[in-house]
Amino acid sequence: MSAPLLELRGIRKRFHSTTVLDGVDLEVRAGEVHALVGANGAGKSTLIKILAGAYERDGGEILLYGDVRRIQTPRDALNLGIGVIYQEFQLVPELSVAENLLLGQEPLKRFGPVRLVDRRALLKTAREHLDRLGFSLDAARPVRTLGTGERQLVEIARALYRNARVLVLDEPTAALSSHEVERLFSLIDDLRQRGLALIYISHHLEEVFHVGDRISALRDGRKVATWSRGAVTEHELIRAMVGRDVVELDRPTAAAAGDVQLRAEGLCGPGFGGVDLSLYRGQITALTGAAGAGHTEVCRVLAGSLPRQGGRISLGGREVRWRSPRDAVRAGVLMAPGDRKGMGIVPGRSVAVNLTFADLRTRGPLVDSPANRREAVARIERYSIRCLGPDQEAQSLSGGNQQKVVVGRVAARGASVYLFDEPTRGVDVGAREEIYALIHRLAAEGAAICVSTPDLQEALRLGDRIGVMRGGRLVALADRADTDETALLSHLLGAAPGKPA
Amino acid sequence: MTSSPAPAPSAVVRLRPYTGVLALALLCTLFGVSRPTFASPENFFNVLNAVAIVGILAIGQCFPLIGGGFDLSQGAVACFTGSVTASLMGAGGQPIPVAVCGGIAAGMTLGWINGLLVSRVGMNPFVATLGTQIAYFGATNVFTNNQPLSLGPTGEQFRQLSFGTFGQFSYASLLFLGLIAALFFTLRLLPFGQYLYTLGGSEEATRLAGIDTIRVKTASYVMSSGLAAVAGMVMIARAGQASPVAGTGAELESLASCIIGGIALGGGAGGAWHVLLGVLTLGVIDNGLQMVGDVISPNWRLVIRGVIILLAVAVDARARLKR
Ligand SMILES: Nc1ncnc2c1ncn2[C@@H]1O[C@H](COP(=O)(O)OP(=O)(O)OP(=O)(O)O)[C@@H](O)[C@H]1O
Ligand SMILES: [Mg+2]
């Protein structure tokens, strides 16, 4: 066995008075993928940020090729060949692929005393690099026009351009559709063969077993164990992560669908068109598709968050024209947004405020603070949100717990239609089941529900009916009983690559 | 780096909530030691009276600031509404309450225009309120024909607003303190206050929750201009007439007070306490520098102010960077 390329020893980190990492050891060999799992808030991202120099550590050391290294700033980490692909992308959308790739290392041209970016050399270098990696990306395209999967390729290419020897992927598949995940896996195989040391973080255990040569589980800031693949079962791994068994609650047979609650006819909006879709009371409709296929946008238009560009929406048989989300909310149509950073969490405000501001309890004209606080505490409990308390800043919660705040804020309000955009993005196995149960309960209470998700498994788990979107069109809509993964996948990919018609 | 014991969070981070108070205390000690009269009760009431106008403006300014914008038209609004009030009282011969209400209504209308430009038209607050600042000063020129307006026969009574006292407190300083209390109440206890913070934190999340963000935003500018109108009245009471150039640059003073107090540009944070702190800090600097005018030339006033503003913002930025 080769010596570890990267070794973390006894890493400790505290935020204020809470210990988030308590002496974590982790080693990764060259040519190995080390999968890291753990429940929301276990400390995975914190560990990675320490490795990347984004957080100062309170104790422990980092060794590369057996030597203790000093990593205190992101620059130190980059110079040592440590590349991190965070879940939230770090690219500049307005710049081109090439500019993003070489950001900070642009080739320069001298004009007497001034030095300008040599744009031709920039493009050439970027193209050569992409060719070498075998990525089919147009270096001149602005990143803003790329889909999620392609952006991720740009991030990986950028890390490799800086000669990364260690590559960390923090929940890389969270926003990818099934075939993009396949492509990522073959890329990972390729990188493994080149001798990189990879750390792979994911909440999807099937992925973990697929790519991980070794698997480590974190729980409450400590490492529980490291196994080689094959030495641990899924069941054991879940136990190690959450400390208890997670039962897959299957839905008590789908209730007979009630009346149509919300109907869209020939609906058009940004990035999609001609969508006919009815949401029935007591039924869950799952919309799936590749990133950018339009399922998210359908939800947003139905919730008044994006403008309707054509077609009709009717609610309870009456036509409605939302001018803002407020109109939709008042009519009883609520959406939990997928982009939690941009549209979900209110940064700088507490968990309590984030959970309750949308339906403030008031006494006369005044905010009833004690009542809101009690409600917040109850919601923290009900949605199993892991936090230091209701006053913790919501932004500092782990990704999955932020997601639970966003979903909880919406689910706790009464509505006749709920739209969930990627409700389990970044959520751990245990909490995922809780969110599923929650959505099932809302349906059982008679709400009409639409869930948009890039994950086929999730669509099949949740949906009574499953719709597939491709290139902005709804290309299939079937009852769960009448379809399966293969059929959905073929719709999703299409006979020929989908083009918006 | 070796595995050293956990270092305490850096001093900057731990002290940030108190840096404002500490800075103010330090300034007071410095001035107090060098000039004993500085520490006298009379001087305390002096400072409070001197900051009343800027203070009221700063109370108004903090609404758009917390909501993620700001208001550059405050000075012009104060000037315009001062003239309106004066002409109602002087030329119009209206009783004081009518003139006051007229002035405040005029101010709120101008604020409503600012609010619509920012919230409905979607203009950048910098551009929108810079534009209206120019237009509102222009409107004052038209309205007053560039002449100072007298306050008329009830003027003497009205000037009590600035010169009348209750105990040692001038009415103006009491007005300022009362409005600080009202600000505290509004931000803490009214839903509007709560929404203002979430609006400043994330406009889209607030909008999606079904809150009428356009209304909240517009209201924040109405408050800013309404309070600018109140400040405008204290100005004319103090000057004994409405000057067509009064209030020039006042919006920068109010912005500076808020920022020194720790209300960040970009919104979502800060409160009544921060406004009070910022206003007093600026007031103490001005007052203290006057007292030591024989040692430090008054010409240094702006330099010192600028440095203090930069320090306040720098400490804030450092605290945010360090994690
Ligand atoms: N800046 C911060 N201030 C205070 N607490 C923080 C901060 N950042 C993280 N934490 C806390 O540290 C803990 C670990 O968070 P971390 O993001 O590492 O979890 P994670 O394992 O990546 O979870 P997830 O799977 O949900 O992404 C959480 O409980 C979180 O609340
Ligand atoms: Mg994480």
Side-chain angles (χ1 to χ4, degrees), chain A residues 127-163:
Chain A
R127 287 210 173 107
E128 283 167 3
H129 179 61
L130 290 171
D131 283 346
R132 224 172 10 249
L133 294 173
F135 291 180
S136 54
L137 280 172
D138 178 359
R141 253 175 85 181
V143 160
R144 141 176 72 76
T145 64
L146 300 181
T148 326
E150 290 167 317
R151 289 187 191 202
Q152 200 168 52
L153 288 183
V154 178
E155 292 243 23
I156 294 175
R158 175 157 81 170
L160 296 178
Y161 182 76
R162 300 183 178 185
N163 292 317

Side-chain angles (χ1 to χ4, degrees), chain A residues 416-436:
Chain A
S416 63
V417 179
Y418 290 96
L419 307 159
F420 291 102
D421 187 17
E422 300 189 29
T424 63
R425 179 161 174 189
V427 164
D428 69 44
V429 260
R432 190 154 54 212
E433 292 302 322
E434 285 159 20
I435 289 180
Y436 288 168

Side-chain angles (χ1 to χ4, degrees), chain B residues 79-80 83 134-147 244-245:
Chain B
C79 181
F80 182 79
S83 304
I134 297 167
Y136 296 165
F137 267 126
T140 318
N141 290 341
V142 173
F143 181 70
T144 63
N145 202 16
N146 263 336
Q147 300 299 317
V245 291

Side-chain angles (χ1 to χ4, degrees), chain B residues 173-234:
Chain B
S173 59
L174 282 180
L175 184 61
F176 166 56
L177 293 177
L179 288 171
I180 283 280
L183 173 68
F184 180 84
F185 172 86
T186 308
L187 292 179
R188 282 291 178 91
L189 293 181
L190 293 187
F192 167 64
Q194 184 82 258
Y195 298 154
L196 204 54
Y197 285 108
T198 57
L199 177 73
S202 170
E203 180 165 356
E204 192 56 22
T206 310
R207 202 170 80 93
L208 276 181
I211 290 155
D212 193 341
T213 46
I214 290 187
R215 223 169 98 184
V216 175
K217 221 188 243 185
T218 308
S220 74
Y221 287 90
V222 172
M223 295 299 277
S224 172
S225 293
L227 283 149
V230 175
M233 281 168 215
V234 183

Side-chain angles (χ1 to χ4, degrees), chain B residues 9-219:
Chain B
S10 85
V12 173
V13 178
R14 264 181 310 141
L15 291 181
R16 171 59 199 149
Y18 314 107
T19 41
V21 187
L22 289 177
L24 184 57
L26 184 71
L27 281 171
C28 289
T29 319
L30 276 178
F31 288 131
V33 166
S34 46
R35 290 292 179 278
T37 41
F38 175 85
S40 67
E42 293 78 47
N43 194 44
F44 169 76
F45 291 106
N46 267 343
V47 171
L48 212 52
N49 187 43
V51 299
I53 293 175
V54 175
I56 294 169
L57 286 167
I59 293 171
Q61 185 70 259
C62 89
F63 287 97
L65 262 184
I66 292 175
F70 49 86
D71 184 355
L72 292 181
S73 74
Q74 275 194 321
V77 171
C79 181
F80 182 79
T81 54
S83 304
V84 168
T85 312
S87 86
L88 281 174
M89 269 192 295
Q94 299 290 337
I96 289 174
V98 174
V100 166
C101 289
I104 291 180
M108 290 172 88
T109 309
L110 298 186
W112 182 69
I113 296 174
N114 286 339
L116 288 189
L117 289 177
V118 175
S119 69
R120 232 178 245 290
V121 182
M123 288 175 77
N124 174 298
F126 182 88
V127 182
T129 59
L130 187 64
T132 55
Q133 178 197 83
I134 297 167
Y136 296 165
F137 267 126
T140 318
N141 290 341
V142 173
F143 181 70
T144 63
N145 202 16
N146 263 336
Q147 300 299 317
L149 302 181
S150 94
L151 301 186
T154 47
E156 274 319 302
Q157 201 190 338
F158 188 71
R159 297 197 73 187
Q160 288 292 311
L161 177 57
S162 178
F163 296 104
T165 54
F166 177 85
Q168 297 248 57
F169 288 99
S170 72
Y171 286 155
S173 59
L174 282 180
L175 184 61
F176 166 56
L177 293 177
L179 288 171
I180 283 280
L183 173 68
F184 180 84
F185 172 86
T186 308
L187 292 179
R188 282 291 178 91
L189 293 181
L190 293 187
F192 167 64
Q194 184 82 258
Y195 298 154
L196 204 54
Y197 285 108
T198 57
L199 177 73
S202 170
E203 180 165 356
E204 192 56 22
T206 310
R207 202 170 80 93
L208 276 181
I211 290 155
D212 193 341
T213 46
I214 290 187
R215 223 169 98 184
V216 175
K217 221 188 243 185
T218 308

